[in-house]
Amino acid sequence: MKTVDELSPVITEENINRRVAEIGSAITREYQDKDLVIIGILKGAFIFMADLVRKIDLPIEVDFVRLQSYGSGMESSGQVTITKDVELSLKDKHVLIVEDIVDTGYTLKYLKEVLSLHETASVKICCLIDKKERRKVDIEVEYVGFEIEKGFLVGYGLDYDEQYRQLPGIFHLTPRYEAKGFVPSER
Ligand code: PRP
């Protein structure tokens, strides 16, 4: 039975806000005079996406997708499917995928390939957290908020067992159980 999880701060709300504003400005500069569609990956990206779009000073369209990856434990296997597809037309538009965390890279590799089939003008990726050292497939991420090496992270959209998404900062989680010790594998 779960008692209390231990949370240690990794990135503060202030640092996230500062970095999100910087990325928003960079996106604003890059996509001047271009038709830009921002696509968030549910659920984890919903808070980052909401903050980021308010720092982009351009006319944009917004859409969401949801993906399911199958795997053992908490690491995806590379088998990814779309459970909620994009609804806007992407033809001739510049697409920016917004993701909370890139881990193995399977999710984004799959989504980028699928979105490219829509005859887009371009498809680029923006993620808040890049766990580069856990990458299994090669994927270019154009905008990265923070590179973090280790630890299971929660907060600012990231969950553990659907909890903690609403925390304003990013935390490292160590779950505590009454009966026996349990450490989740990396995301
Ligand atoms: C997490 C995260 C990414 C994906 C990254 O989603 O939000 O979408 O895993 O992993 P990958 O790089 O190894 O593919 P999760 O499946 O936990 O769903 P959620 O966003 O609904 O929390």
Side-chain angles (χ1 to χ4, degrees):
M1 179 187 293
K2 188 159 76 171
T3 51
V4 62
D5 297 333
E6 190 181 298
L7 298 173
S8 7
V10 177
I11 313 171
T12 63
E13 184 178 3
E14 292 71 27
N15 283 341
I16 292 172
N17 291 344
R18 195 177 313 124
R19 191 71 190 111
V20 170
E22 286 171 2
I23 295 171
S25 299
I27 291 168
T28 302
R29 285 193 297 275
E30 176 169 349
Y31 290 96
Q32 294 284 332
D33 302 318
K34 290 178 176 161
D35 289 332
L36 177 59
V37 183
I38 310 268
I39 297 180
I41 305 182
L42 295 170
K43 300 177 193 174
F46 80 111
I47 291 179
F48 177 40
M49 170 99 164
D51 285 346
L52 182 65
V53 294
R54 286 178 287 177
K55 299 295 179 188
I56 299 174
D57 189 15
L58 295 171
I60 57 167
E61 293 176 280
V62 165
D63 207 342
F64 290 93
V65 293
R66 182 141 171 72
L67 301 159
Q68 170 106 49
S69 62
Y70 301 92
S72 57
M74 298 171 86
E75 182 172 293
S76 66
S77 62
Q79 233 191 309
V80 185
T81 57
I82 293 191
T83 56
K84 184 231 168 287
D85 208 343
V86 69
E87 290 164 26
L88 294 174
S89 166
L90 304 181
K91 189 168 163 26
D92 299 325
K93 290 178 187 165
H94 294 269
V95 171
L96 184 64
I97 302 169
V98 174
E99 177 63 299
D100 54 348
I101 189 163
V102 191
D103 187 11
T104 62
Y106 288 134
T107 302
L108 280 171
K109 185 176 166 53
Y110 172 79
L111 183 62
K112 193 170 179 180
E113 284 170 5
V114 166
L115 293 182
S116 297
L117 300 174
H118 288 246
E119 298 177 64
T120 56
S122 69
V123 181
K124 292 190 178 182
I125 295 170
C126 171
C127 77
L128 183 70
I129 294 166
D130 190 355
K131 276 194 157 176
K132 243 186 194 163
E133 67 171 24
R134 287 179 46 83
R135 202 72 93 253
K136 294 272 174 62
V137 287
D138 211 17
I139 176 109
E140 190 179 354
V141 182
E142 285 80 5
Y143 296 95
V144 175
F146 304 92
E147 276 185 30
I148 292 180
E149 285 183 11
K150 289 194 170 78
F152 191 88
L153 304 174
V154 296
Y156 201 70
L158 294 162
D159 75 306
Y160 169 58
D161 203 14
E162 293 300 331
Q163 297 294 310
Y164 303 117
R165 291 191 197 273
Q166 85 279 21
L167 296 176
I170 307 259
F171 295 80
H172 176 244
L173 173 90
T174 310
R176 301 287 179 208
Y177 282 77
E178 257 174 17
K180 55 179 180 179
F182 174 79
V183 179
S185 61
E186 301 272 319
R187 188 179 302 276

